[in-house]
Amino acid sequence: MRQFVFFWTTVFLYLLKTTLWAQPLPTAPAASVEWPAYGNDAGGMRFSPLKQINTGNVKQLRVAWTFRTGELDLYKGTNAHEKAAFEATPVMVDGTLFFTTPTTRVFAIDAVTGQQKWSYDPDVYLRQDLSEVTSRGVSIWPAPADKANASALKRVFVPTLDGRLIALDAATGKPIPTFGQDGTVDLRAGVGNISVTSPPAVIGNTIVVGSSMGDNQRFNYERGVVRAYDALTGQLRWSWDPIPRSKKDPGFETWKGPNATQTGAANAWSIISADAERDLVFIPTTSPSPDYFGGERLGANLNASSIVAIRASTGKVVWSFQTVHHDLWDYDNAAQPLLFAFNQNGKPVPAVAVGTKMGHIFILHRETGSPLLPVEERPVPASKITGEVAHPTQPFPVTLPTLGLQKPEPWGRTPEAREAAQRRISALLFEGPFTPPSLQGSVIAPSNVGGINWSGMCYDPESGLLITNINRLAAVITLIPRARLSESVKNDQNLMRAETGMQSGTPYVLKRSYLMDKDEQGISLQTAPPWGTLAAVNLKKGALEWEVPLGFMYDPEKVPQARQWGSINFGGAIVTAGGLVFVAASLDGHLRAFNTRDGSLLWEVPLPAGGQAAPMTYQLNGKQYVVIAAGGHAKVGTKLGDYVVAYELP
């Protein structure tokens, strides 16, 4: 009998070993899993390995706590309420959430309870001329491990709207007196009237910061310099100007004309990515000034509208890949360059994914900038504007799908609205992608809000899906000879209502509007829906895996089709190992969770104000939280507020 029992016990253990133990055993989640940077990792994958919240239980999420900043009180007596946008993504380190408000006040709150630990007010003067009133967050510099700096404190680096870089003690919120001048470096000194709206990159003991500035008022804006500072002392380590200023600078020959060296901008206002192992930072540069007329800067304009890899220790350019030659469309590289391992012929290759406003996705080798998937130069329309020479070709990815609106298809909810849309579009110039601005008025599709905008992308390394939210909106760009401005506007009501850019120093004034109108239910776009989507691109297959409408712009109770039409959106997505994509962004003010596998909507909850920010997630004491800033976006008309909301499972 003992032999019989022993035999079957042996068989049982063998079967158990070969069926259960042969599979990876589940590991207990760590008590603490942080979110230490804007995109979680320094390369902006916005992926979390957490799976406590998953496809099976996400519908059970409830509010864990809500924190209010009191921000709206600061707007009184200023025009900040017309520009403010709460776009911050908190970071979580050592059990504390750190974030900025639109006016760059800084808060540190307990990540479990939502109770305030400290706050810091840089006292930004809100009555000055500020192009934007927003801040996407802070960066954390960990205390160094080297003995020489062992006494240094963990620091919170805060970029401000009035062009300062401030170092705070992460424990107390007090400025570090040994950094710069009493904790502050003046970024405007020697440059001019710049702002900073995105957190700086941290790479070793170096802090790399870009800048933000206005658009389209003149051709000679401030220089779009990117600078690196010592994290301990605030001393300048290097400075890089995207625009070549002398004949010795590489690419000088691609900036032609007597005034080309006076061109401003080409700045990096979005998130800069960092690869510490390779000593590289990846700079997403933008259009030179002004955005829509390049007659003062003829040529390809090397390093503008590009992704530029710079050696973090020296400031030397390693490579540059231009996403738009001679940008005439405000096609800034608004999305953070995403660093990931690309599977090529079964081997991981260090890569950077570049998502653009044109809806293009480029996959480049991180060390060389060479395309890992084919890119080709294709002919594009020529300019009809006197003094302008559009670049004859533009780069197009060959194998990956193009996302966003590529052609204006007239649309309206009624036959009359559709006819009005048809008449308007027919009167404008559209010759395909990269149609240049014109006197007639040109349809720009996608518009300057994307495609892919600053909302950026996230990447799931388990499925190989690159996920992003998309705008499908067309702009109308009209250039008016300066001498005929009054006459032109008087005779065209659409031009009268359009946004104006004076473009001083050029022969033309800019008028920018969008193919949209209003009806009794609210905003109505004049191009066919969906107007906003969430899309997943399978990088293993090189194909679109799924694309679904994101949000709604009409009340679904009154317009049942509204959920199929999607919404204009600002604010990124994150993806988790629990099989979920979390995103708000849409104009309807909801936070949603989608199934990573097929894009199906699993959960949605109304926010107390607009959710124009990327959420984040972390785990403390064995419990996972999802957190989002809900404060709205004045320029797109969502409800303003001052909320940070955390969600948890029961």
Side-chain angles (χ1 to χ4, degrees), residues 33 142 158 188 192 202 209 237 258 289 297 315 328 338 364 377 443 496 544 587 622 638:
V33 177
V158 187
R188 288 184 172 180
V202 177
V209 62
R237 288 188 166 179
S289 59
R297 52 171 174 87
L328 302 174
L338 190 153
L364 311 175
E377 293 284 334
V443 176
M496 182 177 293
L544 184 67
L587 302 189
T638 57

Side-chain angles (χ1 to χ4, degrees), residues 360-432:
H360 295 162
I361 298 174
F362 300 98
I363 307 297
L364 311 175
H365 196 294
R366 209 181 304 172
E367 296 172 345
T368 66
S370 300
L372 293 172
L373 293 176
V375 175
E376 65 182 18
E377 293 284 334
R378 297 177 185 171
V380 292
S383 175
K384 297 175 174 59
I385 292 289
T386 301
E388 180 62 272
V389 181
H391 200 276
T393 64
Q394 293 292 347
F396 287 76
V398 176
T399 56
L400 293 180
T402 298
L403 303 173
L405 183 70
Q406 301 298 312
K407 180 181 179 181
E409 299 177 12
W411 185 88
R413 287 206 307 127
T414 65
E416 294 78 13
R418 180 181 172 82
E419 289 176 10
Q422 179 67 64
R423 286 194 303 272
R424 186 179 183 191
I425 292 173
S426 297
L428 299 168
L429 177 68
F430 181 75
E431 298 177 329

Side-chain angles (χ1 to χ4, degrees), residues 164-476:
R164 288 175 283 163
L165 179 63
I166 301 173
L168 304 178
D169 179 348
T172 66
K174 297 184 181 301
I176 304 288
T178 55
F179 180 85
Q181 182 70 39
D182 299 323
T184 298
V185 168
D186 182 3
L187 299 175
R188 288 184 172 180
V191 177
N193 188 28
I194 63 166
S195 297
V196 187
T197 55
S198 293
V202 177
I203 181 165
N205 290 344
T206 301
I207 309 299
V208 182
V209 62
S211 63
S212 175
M213 59 192 68
D215 287 329
N216 300 314
Q217 296 309 314
R218 65 183 196 273
F219 89 94
N220 57 344
Y221 266 100
E222 287 79 9
R223 294 179 299 127
V225 292
V226 176
R227 287 167 286 182
Y229 294 90
D230 187 293
L232 289 157
T233 66
Q235 290 183 337
L236 180 67
R237 288 188 166 179
W238 52 260
S239 178
W240 174 71
D241 188 342
I243 300 177
R245 304 293 175 177
S246 73
K247 293 181 179 180
K248 296 180 181 179
D249 294 333
F252 181 81
E253 71 283 357
T254 68
W255 296 77
K256 300 174 183 178
N259 297 324
T261 57
Q262 299 177 45
T263 302
N267 51 304
W269 58 260
S270 188
I271 313 295
I272 296 169
S273 292
D275 182 341
E277 180 184 350
R278 292 172 175 82
D279 188 29
L280 293 174
V281 288
F282 299 85
I283 314 296
T285 68
T286 62
S287 173
S289 59
D291 292 330
Y292 296 101
F293 178 74
E296 308 299 325
R297 52 171 174 87
L298 298 175
N301 305 149
L302 185 69
N303 291 334
S305 300
S306 300
I307 300 298
V308 184
I310 290 180
R311 189 73 62 198
S313 57
T314 65
K316 301 299 182 184
V317 172
V318 177
W319 57 260
S320 177
F321 179 88
Q322 193 166 52
T323 55
V324 184
H325 309 315
H326 190 64
D327 195 343
L328 302 174
W329 303 272
D330 192 12
Y331 280 161
D332 299 349
N333 281 298
Q336 179 181 10
L338 190 153
L339 309 185
F340 73 111
F342 178 67
N343 189 316
Q344 188 174 57
N345 300 322
K347 296 181 180 180
V349 177
V352 52
V354 181
T356 72
K357 291 184 179 182
M358 302 85 73
H360 295 162
I361 298 174
F362 300 98
I363 307 297
L364 311 175
H365 196 294
R366 209 181 304 172
E367 296 172 345
T368 66
S370 300
L372 293 172
L373 293 176
V375 175
E376 65 182 18
E377 293 284 334
R378 297 177 185 171
V380 292
S383 175
K384 297 175 174 59
I385 292 289
T386 301
E388 180 62 272
V389 181
H391 200 276
T393 64
Q394 293 292 347
F396 287 76
V398 176
T399 56
L400 293 180
T402 298
L403 303 173
L405 183 70
Q406 301 298 312
K407 180 181 179 181
E409 299 177 12
W411 185 88
R413 287 206 307 127
T414 65
E416 294 78 13
R418 180 181 172 82
E419 289 176 10
Q422 179 67 64
R423 286 194 303 272
R424 186 179 183 191
I425 292 173
S426 297
L428 299 168
L429 177 68
F430 181 75
E431 298 177 329
F434 296 100
T435 297
S438 64
L439 302 182
Q440 175 183 349
S442 295
V443 176
I444 309 299
S447 73
N448 60 301
V449 299
I452 302 170
N453 58 37
W454 66 263
S455 306
M457 306 174 292
C458 55
Y459 179 69
D460 180 3
E462 298 180 357
S463 65
L465 295 180
L466 188 68
I467 300 166
T468 181
N469 37 314
I470 302 294
N471 279 320
R472 296 175 53 86
L473 174 66
V476 177

Side-chain angles (χ1 to χ4, degrees), residues 59-81:
K59 291 181 180 180
Q60 301 174 35
L61 283 178
R62 65 184 184 186
V63 173
W65 51 259
T66 299
F67 179 82
R68 301 195 66 176
T69 68
E71 183 79 353
L72 299 188
D73 292 338
L74 299 181
Y75 303 161
K76 295 176 181 177
T78 76
N79 66 351
H81 65 282

